[in-house]
Amino acid sequence: LEYVGGHCFDVGEHLVDDSFLSTSEPGAVSRLVIIDAANVLHGNNSVPLLEEQKVDAAYILSLVRFFVYKGIECMVVTLHKYMLDTVTENTFIMRRLQELGLLMVMDRTYDDLMLFAVAGEFDGVILSEDQFKAEQQRREFMTPNVRNALQLKVSPIYPRAAADFLPKSKWGQVSKNGHFVVDHLMRFAGSTQDLRNKFFSSPARGGYRFELVEEKYGTWLKRKDKVLKALDDLVAKIQPIMMKTREDVPTLLPRGN
């Protein structure tokens, strides 16, 4: 056990690679990360979902806290159905993220369009495995901001086989370097430098859009510590839930397409 953020967490020996979330580039500041909730929730399932199975909001918490812990602001974009207990496990996480201003709920608005609207407004990074090929044929997507957002998009590497998962005894722990882990170590497609270039903007690379990033980052700094404390409260709440239930999880199978 180790105290992190004022809580006594179950801490493991594993490390999550976060080396790309720091940079020595002059004047660089982090971009807003916009998380595609549907993609993350379904992408992290170890087995293909049956109609009656639920997705788990713990994966959203793990991802949001990963970035916030390193000082980077996040915004989750989700459809309303993922706020429902009939669809999602641990919906208290989703509701708290919404209260913290870290989650946008779309009732009727096209959620993928909102991802790009937010990314375009703040020169942010969309986090999604989706390539949005069909969406790019829509008129609303044929703008310079959308093209820029597509270039900045980062794909999570989701677990595809049983070997990608940690032993059950380590599920729900906080990594040795401070990251809450559900059942596998988070990874992202791209080299360290490529990821740094996407997650950070600088006066030299950002051009006039750097001002958008810098202004958003300045606003974020005023509430960053408060948000991290609230996320740590959520981790403290979810850890005992996961520790109690992880032994009941069936043997993991490779994830379906």
Side-chain angles (χ1 to χ4, degrees):
L1 296 177
E2 179 176 308
Y3 280 92
V4 180
H7 291 286
C8 194
F9 289 152
D10 181 15
V11 177
E13 292 299 314
H14 45 281
L15 293 170
V16 178
D17 180 17
D18 59 9
S19 58
F20 53 88
L21 295 184
S22 61
T23 181
S24 59
E25 185 179 6
V29 295
S30 58
R31 289 184 165 98
L32 172 70
V33 175
I34 304 105
I35 297 173
D36 181 352
N39 188 264
V40 170
L41 289 169
H42 288 278
N44 276 301
N45 278 288
S46 57
V47 294
L49 282 180
L50 300 176
E51 187 173 347
E52 68 274 13
Q53 288 179 295
K54 298 180 183 180
V55 294
D56 194 341
Y59 292 110
I60 297 290
L61 173 60
S62 177
L63 198 55
V64 170
R65 190 184 176 280
F66 174 73
F67 288 103
V68 172
Y69 185 70
K70 299 297 292 185
I72 297 176
E73 185 178 11
C74 290
M75 175 61 69
V76 179
V77 176
T78 184
L79 291 173
H80 180 264
K81 70 176 184 178
Y82 295 113
M83 305 295 289
L84 304 177
D85 293 333
T86 53
V87 176
T88 306
E89 296 280 4
N90 301 309
T91 51
F92 68 88
I93 293 172
M94 306 292 275
R95 292 192 295 270
R96 183 62 175 134
L97 292 179
Q98 186 179 25
E99 292 170 357
L100 292 169
L102 302 179
L103 183 145
M104 298 175 63
V105 180
M106 300 289 100
D107 288 320
R108 297 181 179 85
T109 305
Y110 193 47
D111 61 326
D112 287 344
L113 184 59
M114 183 55 66
L115 288 170
F116 284 94
V118 176
E121 182 175 357
F122 298 109
D123 203 38
V125 180
I126 294 174
L127 203 67
S128 177
E129 191 184 40
D130 197 334
Q131 298 303 309
F132 302 104
K133 291 181 179 179
E135 288 82 355
Q136 291 181 58
Q137 306 306 312
R138 295 170 59 95
R139 180 177 56 82
E140 300 95 322
F141 278 74
M142 298 178 183
T143 67
N145 281 353
V146 167
R147 289 195 293 271
N148 184 67
L150 284 168
Q151 291 179 343
L152 289 175
K153 188 183 76 69
V154 171
S155 295
I157 300 176
Y158 297 125
R160 302 296 189 184
D164 295 333
F165 292 85
L166 294 168
K168 288 183 184 179
S169 61
K170 300 183 183 298
W171 291 7
Q173 290 183 333
V174 169
S175 70
K176 197 172 182 179
N177 56 337
H179 298 293
F180 170 58
V181 176
V182 178
D183 54 20
H184 67 280
L185 302 184
M186 286 171 285
R187 296 182 297 144
F188 304 90
S191 68
T192 297
Q193 190 56 51
D194 180 53
L195 291 172
R196 279 179 179 151
N197 287 342
K198 290 184 176 182
F199 285 117
F200 292 89
S201 181
S202 69
R205 291 186 294 106
Y208 74 94
R209 293 184 66 80
F210 173 73
E211 296 180 5
L212 300 175
V213 180
E214 188 176 40
E215 182 178 357
K216 189 75 173 78
Y217 180 72
T219 303
W220 163 241
L221 285 180
K222 298 175 183 177
R223 66 190 192 102
K224 174 175 66 70
D225 292 342
K226 180 179 179 181
V227 169
L228 180 58
K229 173 61 170 62
L231 296 179
D232 282 352
D233 291 343
L234 286 174
V235 173
K237 186 174 181 178
I238 194 66
Q239 269 201 328
I241 295 174
M242 295 191 66
M243 292 174 68
K244 183 177 180 180
T245 61
R246 63 190 174 193
E247 293 305 321
D248 298 327
V249 177
T251 301
L252 293 167
L253 300 173
R255 178 176 173 268
N257 294 323

